[in-house]
Amino acid sequence: MLLVLVAAAVGGLDATAMAQTRLVERSVKAFPNKDTQIGVYLNVLPDCTSGALPTIRLASPPASGKVIVKTAKVKATNYKACLALEVPAYVAFYKSPPEFLGDDVLTLEVKYSGGRTELQKITVNVVGAGPQQRI
């Protein structure tokens, strides 16, 4: 029930889209003013080639930091039935202001071909550098 309410609140999705929408929650640790990878999005077909990349939308921006998405090539070995592959992908990064410490929450809407949609609620825990170890 909560999933349906969240999906409807985010983008006014119809009943069919809501049935195929999945809510994913995860957390990532980051340092202030540093690019931190928060997600990699790709589409590998059964024949080990690339399918259409998903559409990514910032459904709910972070309160303090910013999110950017870059294109990349992902190389992998022993992924499912693929012994080796290289496919295009999108990589999402988060960067906080230099003075920010604490939790920053954002939501990405990731739409895959075929109609599947994920709402990814990502909590970024921005921590300061700990005490430096002396040699």
Side-chain angles (χ1 to χ4, degrees), residues 72-109:
K73 287 264 188 198
V74 172
K75 293 181 182 182
T77 57
N78 302 317
Y79 179 76
K80 297 184 180 181
C82 307
L83 295 178
L85 61 91
E86 182 175 340
V87 294
Y90 291 131
V91 182
F93 293 92
Y94 168 86
K95 186 174 185 178
S96 75
E99 68 284 352
F100 180 78
L101 294 176
D103 288 347
D104 209 357
V105 180
L106 62 109
T107 304
L108 294 176
E109 179 185 66

Side-chain angles (χ1 to χ4, degrees), residues 31-108:
F31 293 104
N33 201 32
K34 300 282 184 197
D35 284 336
T36 302
Q37 182 178 304
I38 58 171
V40 176
Y41 307 95
L42 50 101
N43 184 6
V44 179
L45 300 176
D47 67 352
C48 301
T49 60
S50 177
L53 290 176
T55 301
I56 303 170
R57 182 177 73 87
L58 189 58
S60 154
S64 297
K66 64 180 180 176
V67 176
I68 61 168
V69 175
K70 297 180 181 180
T71 59
K73 287 264 188 198
V74 172
K75 293 181 182 182
T77 57
N78 302 317
Y79 179 76
K80 297 184 180 181
C82 307
L83 295 178
L85 61 91
E86 182 175 340
V87 294
Y90 291 131
V91 182
F93 293 92
Y94 168 86
K95 186 174 185 178
S96 75
E99 68 284 352
F100 180 78
L101 294 176
D103 288 347
D104 209 357
V105 180
L106 62 109
T107 304
L108 294 176

Side-chain angles (χ1 to χ4, degrees), residues 1-10 13-15 18-19 21 23 119:
M1 183 65 173
L2 175 63
L3 175 62
V4 173
L5 294 175
V6 170
V10 168
L13 303 174
D14 64 19
M18 286 191 288
T21 300
L23 179 63
L119 289 177

Side-chain angles (χ1 to χ4, degrees), residues 15-33:
T16 305
M18 286 191 288
Q20 295 180 4
T21 300
R22 186 175 85 149
L23 179 63
V24 177
E25 293 189 44
R26 51 195 174 86
S27 61
V28 177
K29 188 177 282 192
F31 293 104
N33 201 32

